[in-house]
Amino acid sequence: MDEALWNEMDGFIVEKLLPADPVLDAVQAASEAAGLPAISVSAAQGQMLHIFAKMMGAKRILEIGTLGGYSTLFFARALPEGGTVVTLEADAHHAEVARANFARAGLSDRIDLRVAPAIETLPVLEAEGAGPFDLIFIDADKPSNPAYLDWALRLSRPGTLIVCDNVVRAGRVLDAASTDASVIGIRRTYEIAGAEPRLTATAVQTVGAKGYDGFALLLVG
């Protein structure tokens, strides 16, 4: 098996299971035109996140890492009336593109975008009493994942689902001797999650349009 087959299968999944969505297509096109890196979740993965939020009846969602707001919109569409996604983005240009995308989708009123390094914004959220959140999605700089997980636990409640993206990295996470800061951060995240008595945890490997990677699923008890 190879990436060409993975991509073809991803296309089949989207064609058969996801309705045509000109708004989300326009969001992706706008992000690409603005020069944002092509590192957002795939359409099938975004739909998975949407389903998670729906299954949980999530009203308060925290997203660490906005980029162009593609995944944010899958969450926002899952919210009931009065629900909110708080999304954190360090890059002002990315945030500007995301704001335009939220307006394009007609969902700006459901999204609270904070522009600053997440490690600075998370204590502000705690001080504001913004939590607890029902679902927390960690998809930002991987070296900071251990700190983000610590904050996610502080901003959660029993029953909160924490989802971490990019936890396989084409298998590079297996290398205990790696000097890659992202690999080190993810390996440390596994160690913390595995030792944390409040968490029921697993990780799922994925292949598809985004290559070979995976998600960690952490349920707070």
Side-chain angles (χ1 to χ4, degrees):
M1 291 190 179
D2 56 23
E3 287 199 33
L5 180 58
W6 300 345
N7 289 340
E8 185 178 353
M9 188 65 211
D10 233 26
F12 177 85
I13 291 167
V14 170
E15 177 189 350
K16 297 300 182 184
L17 300 181
L18 277 70
D21 198 321
V23 171
L24 288 178
D25 290 345
V27 164
Q28 287 289 62
S31 296
E32 181 180 352
L36 272 59
I39 56 173
S40 64
V41 297
S42 70
Q45 291 168 348
Q47 187 78 327
M48 178 190 73
L49 297 173
H50 176 88
I51 290 169
F52 285 165
K54 281 282 195 181
M55 287 169 61
M56 300 188 65
K59 296 181 179 179
R60 296 282 294 168
I61 298 173
L62 173 62
E63 177 181 57
I64 303 174
T66 312
L67 195 62
Y70 187 67
S71 55
T72 320
L73 291 173
F74 279 98
F75 285 131
R77 286 178 167 185
L79 291 170
E81 190 68 30
T84 303
V85 182
V86 179
T87 185
L88 313 183
E89 176 54 52
D91 187 294
H93 175 57
H94 295 177
E96 180 183 7
V97 174
R99 285 192 197 280
N101 283 334
F102 300 156
R104 180 177 287 107
L107 291 168
S108 298
D109 60 334
R110 297 187 181 189
I111 301 168
D112 178 4
L113 172 58
R114 308 288 184 100
V115 186
I119 208 67
E120 298 176 6
T121 308
L122 290 162
V124 174
L125 293 178
E126 183 181 52
E128 292 175 355
F133 292 93
D134 305 309
L135 191 157
I136 299 173
F137 182 44
I138 300 174
D139 190 18
D141 59 303
K142 309 312 168 189
S144 298
N145 265 20
Y148 296 151
L149 178 54
D150 177 65
W151 276 106
L153 287 166
R154 292 169 69 165
L155 292 167
S156 67
R157 57 163 177 79
T160 294
L161 177 65
I162 302 170
V163 181
C164 300
D165 197 4
N166 308 124
V167 298
V168 172
R169 304 190 76 79
R172 292 192 295 276
V173 170
L174 288 172
D175 184 3
S178 176
T179 58
D180 182 325
S182 292
V183 170
I184 293 168
I186 293 166
R187 286 181 63 89
R188 180 60 183 147
T189 303
Y190 275 105
E191 292 167 2
I192 294 168
E196 174 53 64
R198 288 173 289 175
L199 292 177
T200 301
T202 192
V204 178
Q205 300 180 78
T206 60
V207 296
K210 296 299 177 178
Y212 172 33
D213 216 318
F215 292 88
L217 308 176
L218 316 173
L219 184 66
V220 181

